[in-house]
Amino acid sequence: MSDTDSVTGAHAESGPAGAGAPAPPPTALYRVVIVVVLGTVMSVLDMTIVNVALRHLSESFGAPLETIQWTATAYTLALAAVIPVAAWAMARIGAKRTYVLALGLFTLGSLLAACAWDAASLIAFRAVQGLGGGLLQPVGMAMGMRVADRARLGRAMALLGLPILVGPVAGPVLGGWLLDAASWQWIFLINLPVGALALSLAARLLPKDAPRTPRTDRPRLDLPGLLMLSPGLALLLFGLSRGGERGDFTAPGALIPTLAGAVLAAAFVRRALTVRAPLLDLRLLRDRTFAAGVATLAPFTCGYFGSMLLGPLYWQQERGLSATAAGLLGAPVGLVVGTTMQIAARRVDRVAPRLLIAAGCAVGALGMALLAWQTGTPGVASWRVVVAGMVMGVGAGMTLMPTMTTASRDLPADRLAGASTALSINAQLAASVGTALLSVLLGAAGPDPAGFRLTYAVAAVLLALAVPAALRLPGERHG
């Protein structure tokens, strides 16, 4: 077996259909999509609901807001620590079993979180949720890519991206209603019936894919790589988030974990390029299309997800609106992102990805620049800010899922698990870097029109930096 054929992903029984390979029936795709979308919606909703509830949780537990924020941080760190084992777990026990395990962990964590008796127990139980949530996206994406032939991959990715539409729009509204009408426990209890339904459907609908290789031939866990990459990612994310919160990356509490995480990540990269079966197959980057996709997504994700903190702060601090009003004003952007994504992810099966995605990056940068202009104008009409955000949303919908589809389309089936894991890690790191960077910029410039103008302008530059990489994506049609 050559280095480029080393397996870090699962041994799929079916995958994107190549030359001479039969296309899986559409019903197989829809069964997987139903289960994956249900599980992913649950995790995305939970993240947005908890973010809305932080101040309420602080009051309920009588704990400082800085302490309660660890409920979000603990989830993120656990998520980052477990993502690297996704490909190995799929290869070892199969994607279906891994996904069921992830659903079970997330649902159990939700039950435990609802039973928390103090801030410390809530933080610990949120980490349990993170262990499940970290596996849901890469495993779900890998299963979807396996059962979709190349001609239908864009359609599959569009359906798998539905949570991007539902979560940011419904989460703040649902979270506010649960807190007002019931109690904080219900922001976690709401996951129990959804989790039970997802587990039941997963057992019935997901195809069996236990590895067919003898037990002695199944891949062993790259323990040295795991001990480098998982703590490295967690330390990087912790250092970046701490630096963003405090507006100072040179403080020991931010600098030391960031440097330690960077050293561990660098050590993992060296190991991954030299050992035969690493935890994460970085040799995927030798594929020109996959490398171009990662290079496109990194700056775009950095600017797009990093800018998400700016909207609520602008509406509440600069315009004096309530959290509910801020959520409602952000809903049109989420709807535009989701709707455009559904159209663009399907069109990428029929048009040249290079043109579609490069145009999306440019439109997204334009929309972000318009946001910089509008938010930097005192007393500007609210509708003008919302429209600028919607333009940016069109660009995001044209870029995110179509790029993931294009990056993975031509990979062999046994490398899809590794590809989905790498894309998930790339997105998580880029989003954390963007959030920290823009937080520091806004803190330094001040939450006033000039500060928002500068911060949105930097986000626009980050989105524009994705255009050159997008122009390296394939220029031919696939369907």
Side-chain angles (χ1 to χ4, degrees), residues 10 26 55 58 61 65 153 155 211 318-319 363 369 382 437 452 462 478:
R55 190 170 297 279
S58 175
F61 287 110
L65 185 60
L153 186 56
R155 182 188 310 174
E318 177 63 23
R319 305 299 290 266
V363 171
S382 297
L437 173 62
F452 283 108
L462 289 171
H478 286 272

Side-chain angles (χ1 to χ4, degrees), residues 47 74-84 127 130-131 133-135 237 424 428:
M47 291 180 66
Y75 182 92
T76 302
L77 296 182
L79 181 145
V82 77
I83 285 177
L131 293 176
L135 291 173
L237 295 183
S424 296
Q428 187 68 40

Side-chain angles (χ1 to χ4, degrees), residues 93-466:
I93 65 174
K96 178 177 181 177
R97 293 177 183 175
T98 303
Y99 197 78
V100 169
L101 174 63
L103 283 173
L105 273 175
F106 189 89
T107 306
L108 174 62
S110 299
L111 175 61
L112 294 173
C115 298
W117 55 89
D118 59 16
S121 60
L122 179 62
I123 292 168
F125 297 147
R126 281 285 288 164
V128 175
Q129 277 190 300
L131 293 176
L135 291 173
L136 287 176
Q137 180 179 357
V139 178
M141 187 186 300
M143 289 192 298
M145 289 190 293
R146 285 182 189 175
V147 297
D149 64 277
R150 287 174 180 168
R152 294 200 305 262
L153 186 56
R155 182 188 310 174
M157 296 296 278
L159 294 172
L160 293 173
L162 282 172
I164 296 178
L165 167 61
V166 176
V169 175
V173 178
L174 178 60
W177 178 77
L178 288 172
L179 291 170
D180 292 339
S183 65
W184 68 264
Q185 285 89 348
W186 280 96
I187 66 176
F188 301 110
L189 291 175
I190 193 68
N191 293 328
L192 301 187
V194 181
L197 177 61
L199 283 167
S200 175
L201 291 176
R204 294 173 54 191
L205 299 182
L206 292 182
K208 295 181 180 180
D209 64 344
R212 293 169 292 176
T213 55
R215 184 174 298 275
T216 55
D217 293 339
R218 295 177 191 173
R220 295 182 179 180
L221 178 62
D222 177 18
L223 186 58
L226 178 64
L227 294 178
M228 294 174 188
L229 184 57
S230 289
L233 289 175
L235 286 169
L236 266 175
L237 295 183
F238 174 75
L240 291 169
S241 63
R242 182 55 59 93
E245 291 169 4
R246 299 184 176 181
D248 183 8
F249 288 104
T250 63
L255 181 61
I256 292 175
T258 300
L259 291 178
V263 169
L264 286 172
F268 172 79
V269 170
R270 180 181 179 185
R271 175 178 176 80
L273 295 176
T274 56
V275 300
R276 180 173 176 270
L279 181 71
L280 184 64
D281 188 8
L282 295 184
R283 298 182 183 90
L284 284 166
L285 295 173
R286 294 177 180 172
D287 182 278
R288 179 177 177 179
T289 300
F290 187 80
V294 169
T296 300
L297 287 170
F300 195 94
T301 306
C302 184
Y304 173 66
F305 286 104
S307 70
M308 285 187 172
L309 67 96
L310 301 177
L313 289 175
Y314 172 77
W315 292 118
Q316 294 180 66
Q317 295 188 20
E318 177 63 23
R319 305 299 290 266
L321 301 180
S322 66
T324 302
L328 291 174
L329 286 168
V333 179
L335 289 171
V336 167
V337 172
T339 303
T340 305
M341 180 189 65
Q342 293 300 307
I343 298 170
R346 287 171 168 80
R347 291 297 298 166
V348 80
D349 287 337
R350 301 180 179 89
V351 303
R354 178 188 300 165
L355 298 178
L356 175 68
I357 296 169
C361 295
V363 171
L366 172 63
M368 200 73 80
L370 290 174
L371 278 170
W373 178 29
Q374 300 296 341
T375 58
T377 304
V380 66
S382 297
W383 69 267
R384 294 175 64 178
V385 179
V386 173
V387 169
M390 293 171 71
V391 173
M392 182 270 295
V394 170
M398 293 173 64
T399 301
L400 296 173
M401 278 301 178
T403 304
M404 292 184 183
T405 302
T406 303
S408 307
R409 189 189 300 273
D410 295 330
L411 294 175
D414 62 2
R415 308 189 84 183
L416 290 178
S420 64
T421 302
L423 290 172
S424 296
I425 291 174
N426 180 56
Q428 187 68 40
L429 273 179
S432 298
V433 171
T435 301
L437 173 62
L438 298 185
S439 296
V440 171
L441 283 175
L442 185 63
D448 54 29
F452 283 108
R453 172 170 289 178
L454 172 64
T455 311
Y456 271 119
V458 171
V461 171
L462 289 171
L463 267 59
L465 290 175

